[in-house]
Amino acid sequence: MIRLHEIIRGCRDCDLCTTRRRVVPGEGAANASVMFVGEAPGAREDVEGRPFCGPAGQLLDELLASIGLPRESVYITNIVKCRPPNNRVPRPDEVAACTQFLKIQIGLIAPKVLCTLGGPALKTLSGEARAMGEWHGRSERRKRYVLCPLYHPAAALHQPSLRETLFEDFGRLGHYLEEHT
Ligand code: URA
């Protein structure tokens, strides 16, 4: 995993390499049973080189704490590893260039449960454009892991009513993990 992170840090496969400050490969336990995949690094992540270390990350930390899941025990990454300018949604060509790394990360970690945070991550990993309102919190078994679509924590920062929904969905995730891990 350390070698893979080095390779990702050296990537120049899309235009984001010209505007990023730091690459954000991912962090966490290499043998994690639970993996979280967000959208792309934001401003804070671009400075620190770590995923979810800004405001959305603070809420993610609260959500993890609410189900007693230590952050160090999970693996956290994004579909693209470099910050898109002005935090715009990553373009399809940027996602396509970066997905190779996400696939290798999933293969190495082999999580039992893969949680997507937000629509773009769900679309990338399910291959379908699905409405979050319909799919959040509804886990489904895939060949190699259980896919658990969750709202992006940043969505709850902009739309406070989603905060409760996110805590409920994490609660369900916690129960699932108690029974299955
Ligand atoms: N939002 C994301 O999708 N990923 C991060 O790492 C931070 C904010």
Side-chain angles (χ1 to χ4, degrees), residues 41-172:
R44 188 82 228 146
E45 291 76 20
D46 185 50
V47 170
E48 291 198 23
R50 297 180 49 227
F52 284 92
C53 60
Q58 272 174 23
L59 179 52
L60 179 59
D61 288 348
E62 278 181 50
L63 289 158
L64 291 171
S66 74
I67 56 169
L69 200 55
R71 183 169 165 135
E72 320 75 69
S73 72
V74 303
Y75 187 84
I76 305 174
T77 189
N78 286 298
I79 48 177
V80 301
K81 316 303 192 202
C82 299
R83 183 191 183 205
N86 304 316
N87 296 345
R88 63 164 169 72
V89 176
R91 293 193 318 240
D93 61 306
E94 294 157 353
V95 174
C98 220
T99 302
Q100 50 173 335
F101 297 131
L102 182 59
K103 284 193 179 150
I104 298 171
Q105 286 172 315
I106 294 171
L108 287 176
I109 290 161
K112 291 200 168 87
V113 179
L114 200 162
C115 302
T116 52
L117 298 171
L122 178 59
K123 182 171 180 215
T124 300
L125 285 163
S126 68
E128 297 160 37
R130 296 182 180 186
M132 280 308 299
E134 193 183 332
W135 289 95
H136 72 92
R138 291 174 55 175
S139 301
E140 62 183 63
R141 176 154 288 289
R142 313 289 284 212
K143 227 188 274 169
R144 286 152 59 200
Y145 48 77
V146 169
L147 182 69
C148 178
L150 297 165
Y151 275 109
H152 196 292
L157 298 179
H158 301 129
Q159 208 179 319
S161 59
L162 285 184
R163 197 183 150 90
E164 201 177 319
T165 308
L166 253 177
F167 275 94
E168 280 168 12
D169 288 348
F170 264 75
R172 244 177 259 140

